[in-house]
Amino acid sequence: METLLLSSEDVDENARMADVIPAVEDAFAAYARGNTQMPAKSYIDLPQYNGDFRSMPAYLDATGDGAPRSESAERGYADEAGGWDAAAVKWVNVHPDNPDDHDLPTVMGTVIYSDPETAFPLSVMDGTELTMKRTGAAAAVATKHLAVEGATSLGIVGAGVQSYTQLTAIAQVRPIETVVVSDIDDDAVEAFVAEFGDEFDVRRGSIAEAAACDVLSTVTPVTEPIVPRDALGEHTHVNAMGADAEGKHEHDDRTLLDAKLVIDDYEQCTHSGEINVPWSAGTLGDDDLYGEIGDVVVGDLPGRTPDDGITLFDSTGLAIQDVAAAHVVYAHADENDNGTPFSLVGTEVL
């Protein structure tokens, strides 16, 4: 038996958004129902190299959970009943000096995807592309449950690599026609417009113009809020994707207090999500949280209701999302004969 090596191109080809979104939705549902194991993210700090390593292991059992079983089975990554389980670990770094000093990306990720029954490493795959896909898929799941049904406009603040999967994913769950993108980097905005201009009505706009759209995704690393409360539309759904570390903060505290506030994980969000700064200051508390996205997915909490105004999803990124995306990638790569098989584990039984 061989392990499948999958490059970033292989991951991109086999992580089709139409498949990754329901898989991530399955993962949120499994988490809500207690059918996951996800130890806290562990860190190895390397100040001598101005960097760190992070490990993110998880297992999930989506049997009987999440998206409609017929959809999962139809997508080709589940059994006849639509159930599946999977395990993986992502090893990822953050080394800010890499681009200038070593001509390498700041962030690189590797995923080891294993068979839960035998522990055999089925695949070693690029985790950087995988992370972008699963992050976009998480925003799409939140948008599906929390945005107005007829949302046709999407605002994006931050035109980096993550903005691309935000649009690709959200357009799967809402009939997006108009896209307003805002960034201080002119070249990044021009590249984004060039990429999507033939498919959508894409234009550059201010943060306020982006915030007035039906759906808003923010994907910036700022530590001081840049989206004012007054700029948001009356029924805008916000995907707050940028805050992934202590001290990061994209949105006005008034927005967080006014919105139906949905998080992906209590511990992670209060420590390093969009809510972490006002939470530490005592501005926000438990009573201000509506609940976790998994509880909305399984129906324990209603999603958008006719009485809702602004809704906001605080996404920190969970290891179960990586597992779900890796499961989809491996299933399709295997059936499509993509990747490079190699011998990693000896066949001799010890």
Side-chain angles (χ1 to χ4, degrees):
M1 191 171 182
E2 293 183 305
T3 300
L4 194 60
L5 181 64
L6 297 170
S7 68
S8 60
E9 291 78 12
D10 295 324
V11 171
D12 181 43
E13 181 177 348
N14 292 285
R16 296 175 293 226
M17 273 300 178
D19 301 327
V20 178
I21 292 168
V24 169
E25 189 172 35
D26 282 355
F28 284 138
Y31 186 47
R33 291 186 167 133
N35 293 344
T36 66
Q37 295 184 51
M38 187 173 62
K41 184 189 304 184
S42 62
Y43 291 79
I44 296 177
D45 191 28
L46 301 169
Q48 68 271 38
Y49 301 119
N50 188 29
D52 65 65
F53 287 112
R54 307 160 189 201
S55 63
M56 300 173 64
Y59 165 79
L60 72 92
D61 180 358
T63 302
D65 291 345
R69 296 301 94 208
S70 57
E71 181 178 358
S72 296
E74 185 179 302
R75 292 295 181 187
Y77 59 80
D79 59 27
E80 288 293 326
W84 56 276
D85 70 341
V89 59
K90 182 168 73 174
W91 179 244
V92 64
N93 74 292
V94 177
H95 282 60
D97 297 336
N98 269 359
D100 291 337
D101 294 352
H102 305 289
D103 197 26
L104 287 170
T106 297
V107 178
M108 295 175 284
T110 302
V111 171
I112 300 174
Y113 174 72
S114 300
D115 181 343
E117 182 178 3
T118 66
F120 188 86
L122 297 170
S123 179
V124 177
M125 67 181 73
D126 171 66
T128 306
E129 184 72 25
L130 187 91
T131 300
M132 290 191 292
K133 293 295 184 74
R134 62 82 150 154
T135 305
V141 172
T143 301
K144 172 183 173 181
H145 290 276
L146 296 170
V148 294
E149 283 289 338
T152 58
S153 60
L154 171 64
I156 300 177
V157 178
V161 292
Q162 185 55 58
S163 64
Y164 290 70
T165 54
Q166 289 293 303
L167 174 52
T168 303
I170 290 169
Q172 291 280 326
V173 299
R174 287 296 184 270
I176 300 300
E177 298 172 358
T178 303
V179 182
V180 180
V181 59
S182 180
D183 197 297
I184 59 174
D185 186 334
D186 293 338
D187 291 340
V189 172
E190 289 178 8
F192 184 91
V193 173
E195 177 70 20
F196 293 106
D198 292 338
E199 187 177 356
F200 302 93
D201 176 14
V202 187
R203 65 179 177 86
R204 179 172 193 161
S206 65
I207 289 177
E209 290 172 314
C213 292
D214 296 326
V215 181
L216 171 67
S217 286
T218 56
V219 282
T220 73
V222 298
T223 56
E224 293 290 337
I226 57 174
V227 182
R229 166 67 182 88
D230 296 341
L232 293 169
E234 187 177 351
H235 301 287
T236 298
H237 167 65
V238 179
N239 295 305
M241 313 300 291
D244 61 356
E246 187 175 358
K248 291 187 177 182
H249 192 21
E250 296 182 296
H251 292 274
D252 192 323
D253 288 352
R254 292 179 299 159
T255 299
L256 302 177
L257 289 167
D258 289 348
K260 175 184 274 190
L261 185 53
V262 178
I263 60 178
D264 61 4
D265 175 76
Y266 183 87
E267 294 299 328
Q268 285 194 188
C269 286
T270 55
H271 177 266
S272 56
E274 176 58 33
I275 66 173
N276 85 90
V277 174
W279 190 274
S280 297
T283 304
L284 285 177
D286 284 345
D287 291 343
D288 299 303
L289 304 180
Y290 180 68
E292 294 184 349
I293 187 64
D295 294 320
V296 175
V297 168
V298 300
D300 289 345
L301 291 173
R304 174 164 285 277
T305 68
D307 296 330
D308 285 335
I310 296 169
T311 55
L312 186 143
F313 174 52
D314 182 357
S315 171
T316 56
L318 306 182
I320 53 171
Q321 296 168 224
D322 297 308
V323 174
H327 179 68
V328 170
V329 169
Y330 177 75
H332 292 311
D334 187 50
E335 69 188 24
N336 293 330
D337 292 325
N338 294 139
T340 305
F342 69 104
S343 296
L344 180 64
V345 177
T347 57
E348 181 180 356
V349 177
L350 301 178

